[in-house]
Amino acid sequence: MNAAPTTAPAEQADTTGRPLPIIAVTMGDGAGIGPEVIVPALLHADTVRRCRPVVIGDAERLRQAAAILGITCEIVSVDSPAEATPAPGRIHVIDLGLLPADLPWGRLSAVAGDAAYQYVRVAAELALRGEVQGICTAPLNKEALHAGGHPYPGHTELLASLTGVEEVSMMLSTPRVKVIHVTTHIGLIDAVNKIEPGLVERTVRRGHEAMVRAGVPDPVIGVCGINPHAGENGLFGYGEEEEKIVPALEILRADGIDAVGPLPADTAFFLASRGDYDLIVAMYHDQGHGPVKVMGIEAGVNLTVGLPVIRTSVDHGTAFDIAGTGRAEAGSMVEALRQAAEMSTTPAR
């Protein structure tokens, strides 16, 4: 890649005259492909039309990424998101200056892991103060994050901690299917033990709210079972569906939420991909992640719902094996920015 689409002029309002939301874009692990997907994504015409992005990261690393990609652009340091005045070919960054100039690409680094944490911390503070309306995160490396002294399982739990929220949900979105998870980064036995009607109900409600914000006023939500064939009327498992899921569905339906299930997971995703369901509720990590990544990892977006602001991310990792080579694809970051803009609140004039 040696160019980025910049055909659209930079604007501060959309076609209806509403101010564009300001989106904080965290740079992720600076040794990974985050800088290489951020540069072309922020210059992309679709991004320029939809939001005012400001990177929380290291300006010099972004310049290095632009040079690797052969992209000519202006990377400007600002002190606050409000200073990020849109202009074609310009990228604004709140420069924390945490990375050494000679940081190797594609290698695990505790320094880069700590920096990735600091980028997210600053973005969360900006969001809580209302200076940004959404957060879009480039990938971090969990091992590097831990080596840097921050033992969080990932972005989801980190942002929940930084914003003081006790419970959030992970949603994966692709052009063919959207999935929200009842449990995520815990072992399978622990996940089954953790699932209970209240958690299922709250997860479905968060998913329903997110779909309404995304422009689907009456979403049809398919809720997976836990066991094969959703228990097959007691044939598989120990009645987990009846105990842990059905009571939640009864409450949700009584409140007018169209929640269908428990569904056999091996067919639910096929039905969603053909349009039967707007959102699928997965009970545990691999039940949701596996099908989503088969059906659309290239354009996949990871959303955290339940935070004070919407947070989106690419649905891929740091890709150390290709970092610094210019081979990273920016499509998922463009889509993550699009969905962040679409689902974020509109700033006050």
Side-chain angles (χ1 to χ4, degrees):
M1 175 183 290
N2 56 16
T6 57
T7 55
E11 302 288 352
Q12 296 197 52
D14 65 15
T15 55
T16 68
R18 293 176 299 184
L20 297 181
I22 302 175
I23 306 298
V25 183
T26 59
M27 203 177 75
D29 192 304
I33 63 172
E36 292 172 83
V37 298
I38 284 175
V39 169
L42 265 63
L43 298 173
H44 197 281
D46 193 56
T47 302
V48 172
R49 282 194 298 266
R50 294 179 181 273
C51 65
R52 293 171 56 192
V54 57
V55 181
I56 316 299
D58 275 53
E60 181 56 32
R61 198 60 165 180
L62 294 173
R63 294 187 184 102
Q64 292 175 6
I68 289 169
L69 295 166
I71 293 176
T72 300
C73 62
E74 184 183 11
I75 296 174
V76 179
S77 297
V78 294
D79 293 326
S80 71
E83 297 177 24
T85 305
R90 179 185 296 168
I91 294 173
H92 297 91
V93 55
I94 294 178
D95 185 10
L96 301 192
L98 299 174
L99 301 179
D102 60 351
L103 178 74
W105 294 93
R107 295 185 189 175
L108 189 76
S109 164
V111 172
D114 176 60
Y117 168 84
Q118 303 301 338
Y119 304 150
V120 178
R121 176 187 60 79
V122 171
E125 291 172 356
L126 292 170
L128 289 174
R129 293 199 299 266
E131 296 185 48
V132 300
Q133 286 73 54
I135 297 173
C136 182
T137 59
L140 53 73
N141 181 281
K142 294 180 178 65
E143 187 177 352
L145 182 70
H146 292 186
H150 309 287
Y152 292 92
H155 270 120
T156 302
E157 297 82 1
L158 172 55
L159 279 162
S161 175
L162 290 170
T163 57
V165 174
E166 292 187 4
E167 191 174 274
V168 295
S169 295
M170 175 188 293
M171 181 185 290
L172 302 181
S173 175
T174 77
R176 295 178 63 188
V177 66
K178 290 179 172 58
V179 183
I180 191 168
H181 293 70
V182 174
T183 67
T184 51
H185 295 123
I186 56 176
L188 184 56
I189 293 174
D190 293 332
V192 174
N193 289 333
K194 184 176 180 178
I195 297 167
E196 50 86 20
L199 179 58
V200 173
E201 179 190 344
R202 294 190 300 273
T203 302
V204 175
R205 288 188 188 279
R206 281 190 286 270
H208 181 271
E209 179 184 358
M211 294 303 297
V212 171
R213 290 182 64 180
V216 183
D218 298 300
V220 181
I221 301 174
V223 181
C224 291
I226 297 172
N227 295 297
H229 304 287
E232 195 80 66
N233 296 316
L235 182 62
F236 304 119
Y238 301 93
E240 288 88 352
E241 281 74 20
E242 289 296 322
E243 175 190 348
K244 296 171 177 285
I245 300 174
V246 170
L249 299 184
E250 291 173 348
I251 294 172
L252 291 162
R253 291 170 190 148
D255 284 350
I257 294 176
D258 194 353
V260 182
L263 301 173
D266 59 355
T267 57
F269 292 90
F270 164 73
L271 296 174
S273 71
R274 76 179 188 185
D276 290 21
Y277 300 106
D278 299 300
L279 176 68
I280 291 291
V281 179
M283 291 294 129
Y284 51 89
H285 184 281
D286 285 11
Q287 187 183 65
H289 276 61
V292 165
K293 292 190 175 184
V294 168
M295 287 193 279
I297 187 172
E298 300 87 354
V301 174
N302 183 322
L303 298 89
T304 304
V305 294
L307 295 170
V309 296
I310 194 67
R311 172 258 173 172
T312 68
S313 178
V314 293
D315 190 28
H316 58 69
T318 49
F320 280 168
D321 57 326
I322 62 169
T325 68
R327 291 160 50 198
E329 293 290 335
S332 186
M333 179 58 80
V334 173
E335 179 63 15
L337 283 161
R338 184 190 71 79
Q339 293 205 33
E342 184 177 274
M343 299 182 71
S344 294
T345 56
T346 300
R349 287 187 179 274

